[in-house]
Amino acid sequence: MADGEQKSGLFNACAIAFVQSKSLSSSLISQFSQIVKSHGAEVLEPDHNGKIRISEATHIVSNTIDFDQYAEALAMMIPVVTSNWIKACMARSRIAQVRPFSPDPRMIFSNVILTCAGLPQNDQEAITGAIMALGGMESKDLTKQTTHICALSMDHEKCQEAKRKNLKCKIVLPHWFDDCFRLGKRIDEGPYLLPDPEILRMAPEDAVKIPSSQQMQSAVSPIPNGPYETQGAEQLTVFARKKVMLSTDLPINEMLRKTIIAKIVQSGGEVVDVVEDCDMFICQYRDGPQYVRASQQGKDVGNLAWLYHMMVYNEWTSPFRRLLHYPVPRHGIPGFKDMRITLSNYGGEARLYLENLVTACGATYTRTMKAENTHLITARMHSEKVEAAKDWNIEIVNHLWIEESYAACEVQSLSNPKYRHFPPRTNLGEVIGQTFLSEPILRQLYYPGGEEHMTEVAKKKKKINERAQKNALTVGLDRDFSVMEDSSPAPAASSSARKPRATPAMGTFATPAKARHVRTGKENDTPSVMSSTSRSAKAQALSKLHDLAPDIALYEKEKQRTARGSHAIWGGKRAADQLDRERSDKHPSPASKRGGADEAEDEQETKRPAKRPKIALPEVDMRICLTGYKRWVENKASEEADRKKLRMLGIQIVQDNAPCNYLAAPGMVRTMKFLRALAKGPTVINSSFITACIETGKRPDPEDYLLTDKVNEARFGIPIETAVSRARANRGRLLWGVPIYCTVEIPNGADAFKNIAEANGAIFKIYRARGGTTIKPTTEEEDGGADPDPVYLLSGVTPAEKNLWPKFKEMAIRGHMEPRIVKADWLLDVAMKQELMFDPKYLLTS
């Protein structure tokens, strides 16, 4: 077979599904799809719910594991790879291994291609074997793809060649691998880089900068402040077509609950009150019948921090991914109750996170350290607290101990050497928050059984989670691993070899820190003294009476004041008399009760007529965006009456920008309302469904009215079912981050195109060739050597619009972007097909 034929069939046996995310946009997916299709692959369309057809896929391309079908893919052993896998396959002209391209952060050496230089054979085999088990690859020779060279000095030929050719690979000491293996985490290579490694140049006790903890944002506390706004002011879509239930144990007031509900509804979701109906269950604690039921049924169970995290980043993530995104145990983890724990060498978000994690475990967190403390969690082995802990024989561990204890729901043994390992020039705060929760462990402890009440979907999900856990990577090595043993500090002796703890001196107790969010009282409240004797009660009453005496005197004086003139101030005797009359009306005297029948009749005549009881309307469960409907044209009275009839059937006709779960139209039409609503992924039905409801007074099954329009499907080149499936998978983010400019003079007006573009997540701006609409000048180096991204200008062909084209092209090129001046049809076709594609036929030429 010729080389060209081999290349064209490179992906012949592959059925590939793509998962959109912030790091894998629709634009990139479109490019990769064209590449793999041209080499024989099948790109799988999503199913009718917008889900991946996992049973048909051979590969899933995703740059993150934060998608709700990852566990299912893991259970079925379908490889999930990053987009770099496609690039590697194309570069090598053969299918590359999948393990080095896993997006799972537990594969700590993914994207590492290592070659060794001058190491002993045993050490070389140990290092390469371990990195390959954790996602890396070995290269015998130095190539352009090599990312790391492991060497003891710069004298080796490979190191000199890398320096001479100015390759971007990093030359590191083997100590880096040793420390990574010991911790089971990937730390920064900086202190280990040749030719002048910091770990050999500086003393371990020299200061180390405390790293930022950006990965801990919105995962610091189980009870965060919020809700937060979405980053970048983009439209919130993460709850689209999701049903959310808010538990009654959440520490929020009624106003905040309404705000959260409003955000979920605006995102296209729904808030429900029954566990069986929900997709997401939000609660505070791991107990109660609702929590148990939701967990057993396989619902996504998380807390407020998880909910707010999704609101901020507008992306779904598993509540098991971050420890404090899952409901906390009400009484902590067994074994932590009598522990007093303090922290050292952690700062910022990492410190707050550990404080809350200690409290969630059920231990007592103390800001200061005294002899009564049982544990010190530190990021380095050098601080005043560390020295004091050594003197007082207090256990010294890193944060991995508290994280893995919380994840395992039991106290982990301090004899594990990784809990006492501290790389000499690294602050371990840089690897905080990377521990996952285990669903099978949680099930065993907090919601066991329940199989007799499970639905088939729940049983399937349980099996998937169990199988996924078996197939998941177990981080760390089962054997002791040591490279360059004497270069790193030896692990501390096991707890059994430590000196017996000194008995704390009585009376020297440190004051524990207050809880951050729940205040039970002041720290030094003086208890009020309440006497139970009658003498004390009388004394208190008399004291209160003395305090009220001036007010009573003023009231009596005011009662005596009479009104002089018709414009007198309201008050005095006039007000007091009316007050007396009102009291006598409410409590009539015996004489008034003996009044005649005439007075009773007069009283009945003056009574207000009873209000008509309100008719309870059924709950709205069909929100329909209606377009192209002819029945109500120029007939407002009929429209109002018909809308009331529909409302009595639980149907509400909504505005085109409001959340909807149905789109009704006579056919596939490229109207602004149709395309804007289509981006939400609603069920598309024929508008004759509305007519049937009005005329029969009953609501037929919407499935019988699904829209079919073969003529326009052929015209637009897309079946309506496929467009809806894609829209549900895109969740309003088809054009996420894509810049689209538009001229003012474009036919049909810029507002219509703005609505369509923004409904699909685009960045839309009017282009007038002025300073406010310019792209920031950027060089290829500043863009990291990446190819220029396309930028679009929607335009007509009037002379005024043509005059803008050269300026637009110049602006785009200066910003290292590819200018594309297109007809408005491009946007309409993209929105209709729900696929970011491009064809030169859309380009406008001068």
Side-chain angles (χ1 to χ4, degrees):
M1 186 178 289
D3 291 343
E5 292 175 341
Q6 285 182 351
K7 190 174 181 182
S8 63
L10 179 62
F11 297 105
N12 249 352
C14 298
I16 301 174
F18 289 89
V19 178
Q20 186 189 24
S21 63
K22 289 186 177 180
S23 56
L24 188 60
S25 64
S26 296
S27 178
L28 288 173
I29 290 175
S30 176
Q31 295 175 27
F32 286 124
S33 296
Q34 292 176 8
I35 291 171
V36 298
K37 280 180 180 178
S38 66
H39 289 79
E42 177 189 0
V43 176
L44 295 177
E45 294 286 355
D47 65 14
H48 69 284
N49 289 319
K51 301 290 186 181
I52 302 169
R53 301 179 189 272
I54 289 186
S55 60
E56 303 174 27
T58 61
H59 298 79
I60 297 173
V61 178
S62 173
N63 287 350
T64 176
I65 65 171
D66 283 329
F67 62 97
D68 54 3
Q69 291 179 274
Y70 178 73
E72 187 176 353
L74 199 61
M76 297 182 67
M77 301 188 75
I78 305 298
V80 180
V81 294
T82 65
S83 54
N84 289 331
W85 175 76
I86 297 177
K87 295 179 182 178
C89 293
M90 296 299 298
R92 300 167 189 170
S93 296
R94 59 183 175 84
I95 298 297
Q97 296 181 28
V98 295
R99 194 171 181 84
F101 299 97
S102 170
D104 192 333
R106 292 169 291 189
M107 302 287 266
I108 60 176
F109 290 116
S110 63
N111 297 323
V112 170
I113 301 177
L114 173 72
T115 186
C116 295
L119 296 185
Q121 187 65 27
N122 289 341
D123 289 347
Q124 181 174 329
E125 290 177 358
I127 290 175
T128 55
I131 71 154
M132 290 175 71
L134 296 174
M137 290 182 65
E138 180 198 11
S139 174
K140 296 294 183 183
D141 301 314
L142 180 65
T143 66
K144 290 183 179 180
Q145 283 77 38
T146 302
T147 61
H148 291 75
I149 301 175
C150 183
L152 293 170
S153 70
M154 293 292 293
D155 299 334
H156 195 274
E157 182 183 349
K158 289 182 181 178
C159 301
Q160 293 299 321
E161 183 182 356
K163 184 178 179 181
R164 185 171 58 254
K165 294 182 177 179
N166 198 26
L167 299 179
K168 294 183 179 180
C169 61
K170 298 177 179 179
I171 306 173
V172 296
L173 288 170
H175 307 60
W176 178 62
F177 295 96
D178 182 31
D179 289 334
C180 291
F181 296 148
R182 288 176 182 270
L183 294 168
K185 308 291 180 185
R186 180 172 170 175
I187 59 177
D188 182 42
E189 306 100 319
Y192 304 86
L193 292 178
L194 288 168
D196 188 22
E198 187 179 321
I199 63 166
L200 301 181
R201 173 169 42 89
M202 300 185 70
E205 61 271 14
D206 291 343
V208 172
K209 183 180 178 181
I210 296 178
S212 62
S213 305
Q214 294 182 352
Q215 70 271 21
M216 293 309 305
Q217 290 179 355
S218 70
V220 170
S221 170
I223 314 176
N225 296 321
Y228 306 104
E229 294 300 323
T230 305
Q231 283 188 341
E234 63 186 67
Q235 182 182 358
L236 187 63
T237 59
V238 69
F239 302 112
R241 302 181 62 80
K242 295 288 187 181
K243 295 181 180 180
V244 184
M245 180 175 175
L246 304 177
S247 173
T248 54
D249 73 344
L250 292 175
I252 55 176
N253 57 33
E254 194 59 32
M255 183 176 295
L256 182 54
R257 183 180 288 267
K258 289 180 180 178
T259 302
I260 293 172
I261 291 173
K263 283 183 170 289
I264 292 171
V265 173
Q266 289 169 5
S267 173
E270 183 181 352
V271 177
V272 297
D273 297 322
V274 180
V275 170
E276 284 72 16
D277 294 342
C278 73
D279 302 308
M280 301 178 180
F281 181 73
I282 314 299
C283 64
Q284 181 63 18
Y285 295 108
R286 303 177 189 176
D287 55 32
Q290 289 182 332
Y291 163 80
V292 172
R293 183 70 175 154
S295 300
Q296 289 177 343
Q297 292 297 322
K299 312 295 184 182
D300 290 330
V301 178
N303 59 15
L304 275 180
W306 176 61
L307 186 74
Y308 291 168
H309 179 91
M310 290 189 290
M311 287 182 179
V312 171
Y313 295 101
N314 204 12
E315 283 190 309
W316 184 90
T317 181
S318 171
F320 303 129
R321 176 82 183 272
R322 295 168 180 85
L323 297 182
L324 295 183
H325 277 180
Y326 193 78
V328 298
R330 189 182 294 270
H331 303 295
I333 303 296
F336 276 95
K337 183 179 180 181
D338 297 326
M339 294 184 185
R340 296 174 64 85
I341 302 175
T342 189
L343 306 175
S344 179
N345 290 311
Y346 292 96
E349 300 283 347
R351 189 177 191 89
L352 295 177
Y353 162 74
L354 288 176
E355 290 177 12
N356 289 314
L357 191 58
V358 168
T359 303
C361 284
T364 301
Y365 167 73
T366 65
R367 288 186 178 276
T368 59
M369 187 175 70
K370 293 189 177 180
E372 293 77 28
N373 281 91
T374 59
H375 295 75
L376 169 65
I377 299 176
T378 180
R380 296 187 67 221
M381 277 298 287
H382 301 281
S383 71
E384 292 181 3
K385 284 187 176 181
V386 171
E387 296 306 316
K390 291 177 181 178
D391 292 340
W392 292 338
N393 204 30
I394 293 172
E395 302 285 2
I396 302 174
V397 292
N398 58 39
H399 69 269
L400 297 178
W401 171 73
I402 190 83
E403 285 190 328
E404 294 186 7
S405 295
Y406 187 79
C409 301
E410 64 178 358
V411 180
Q412 297 298 289
S413 172
L414 294 175
S415 62
N416 190 331
K418 80 172 177 179
Y419 300 144
R420 299 183 185 276
H421 184 62
F422 300 91
R425 298 299 305 159
T426 298
N427 183 295
L428 291 179
E430 69 182 52
V431 293
I432 200 169
Q434 298 179 9
T435 303
F436 288 33
L437 287 164
S438 169
E439 196 276 339
I441 291 177
L442 294 170
R443 175 180 292 275
Q444 181 180 358
L445 293 174
Y446 296 101
Y447 48 96
E451 286 81 1
E452 63 277 7
H453 301 297
M454 284 186 187
T455 62
E456 290 302 318
V457 174
K459 290 178 181 177
K460 179 183 176 182
K461 194 162 186 178
K462 180 186 176 183
K463 291 180 181 178
I464 285 172
N465 286 330
E466 290 173 349
R467 196 173 299 170
Q469 187 68 22
K470 290 179 181 178
N471 295 340
L473 168 73
T474 302
V475 180
L477 302 172
D478 295 333
R479 59 186 178 80
D480 292 334
F481 186 89
S482 178
V483 179
M484 306 297 294
E485 178 68 33
D486 54 3
S487 66
S488 299
S494 65
S495 57
S496 60
R498 297 174 65 90
K499 296 182 293 183
R501 291 183 51 80
T503 304
M506 296 298 292
T508 56
F509 297 99
T511 305
K514 290 184 184 179
R516 291 194 164 272
H517 299 283
V518 181
R519 298 187 176 183
T520 56
K522 294 182 180 179
E523 194 171 87
N524 295 314
D525 273 347
T526 303
S528 58
V529 180
M530 297 295 293
S531 171
S532 60
T533 62
S534 62
R535 185 186 298 272
S536 175
K538 290 177 182 177
Q540 290 181 15
L542 185 60
S543 175
K544 289 183 179 180
L545 193 60
H546 280 303
D547 293 339
L548 293 173
D551 291 336
I552 294 172
L554 185 61
Y555 173 70
E556 293 296 334
K557 183 178 179 181
E558 182 69 15
K559 280 180 63 177
Q560 303 303 318
R561 181 165 58 83
T562 58
R564 296 181 180 178
S566 59
H567 301 289
I569 299 174
W570 177 258
K573 186 173 177 58
R574 178 180 166 197
D577 290 344
Q578 180 166 332
L579 185 62
D580 292 338
R581 285 197 300 272
E582 289 175 353
R583 285 176 177 171
S584 65
D585 290 341
K586 291 181 180 178
H587 307 285
S589 64
S592 63
K593 289 181 181 179
R594 293 192 298 267
D598 294 338
E599 292 179 1
E601 290 177 4
D602 292 340
E603 187 177 349
Q604 288 179 0
E605 289 177 2
T606 57
K607 283 184 179 179
R608 295 177 62 183
K611 291 184 178 179
R612 237 186 303 177
K614 290 184 178 180
I615 300 174
L617 294 174
E619 184 180 354
V620 174
D621 59 352
M622 284 190 73
R623 292 178 173 83
I624 302 177
C625 180
L626 184 60
T627 181
Y629 194 53
K630 304 297 184 183
R631 181 185 178 98
W632 296 333
V633 176
E634 298 180 358
N635 195 345
K636 287 290 182 183
S638 174
E639 180 179 353
E640 289 299 322
D642 290 346
R643 282 177 179 266
K644 290 179 180 179
K645 291 180 182 178
L646 294 171
R647 182 62 187 84
M648 292 300 296
L649 298 174
I651 300 172
Q652 185 176 6
I653 306 298
V654 302
Q655 299 297 323
D656 59 329
N657 59 343
C660 64
N661 50 4
Y662 288 88
L663 169 61
M668 289 179 71
V669 289
R670 291 202 312 181
T671 63
M672 184 270 287
K673 185 179 283 191
F674 186 94
L675 296 177
R676 186 175 185 175
L678 180 63
K680 300 180 175 70
T683 301
V684 184
I685 57 177
N686 197 301
S687 52
S688 60
F689 172 82
I690 302 295
T691 305
C693 291
I694 294 170
E695 293 179 351
T696 64
K698 297 179 181 179
R699 194 170 85 178
D701 187 354
E703 295 294 322
D704 297 336
Y705 287 83
L706 293 177
L707 183 64
T708 56
D709 188 353
K710 299 301 180 184
V711 174
N712 281 320
E713 285 180 355
R715 175 188 168 197
F716 297 130
I718 182 76
I720 187 64
E721 297 88 352
T722 304
V724 172
S725 298
R726 290 176 178 176
R728 290 172 179 172
N730 293 330
R731 288 179 296 149
R733 300 183 298 180
L734 170 66
L735 299 173
W736 202 3
V738 176
I740 298 178
Y741 289 82
C742 183
T743 61
V744 178
E745 295 84 3
I746 192 167
N748 301 318
D751 286 343
F753 300 110
K754 178 181 179 181
N755 291 331
I756 296 170
E758 290 184 346
N760 287 279
I763 303 169
F764 189 90
K765 292 183 179 180
I766 302 296
Y767 184 68
R768 297 184 175 90
R770 297 176 186 170
T773 58
T774 58
I775 298 172
K776 180 182 177 182
T778 307
T779 63
E780 184 178 353
E781 291 75 18
E782 290 174 334
D783 257 359
D787 294 332
D789 291 328
V791 56
Y792 298 89
L793 173 64
L794 305 181
S795 175
V797 291
T798 63
E801 289 173 295
K802 287 183 178 181
N803 289 337
L804 298 175
W805 296 356
K807 296 179 181 178
F808 178 79
K809 290 180 179 178
E810 182 183 353
M811 174 189 72
I813 293 170
R814 283 204 316 267
H816 191 239
M817 301 190 80
E818 178 190 348
R820 292 178 179 175
I821 303 170
V822 296
K823 308 171 188 175
D825 287 346
W826 169 79
L827 177 61
L828 300 179
D829 286 348
V830 164
M832 179 64 80
K833 293 182 178 180
Q834 281 296 298
E835 180 184 28
L836 183 51
M837 49 76 185
F838 181 74
D839 192 291
K841 70 179 182 180
Y842 295 108
L843 287 173
L844 289 169
T845 58
S846 56

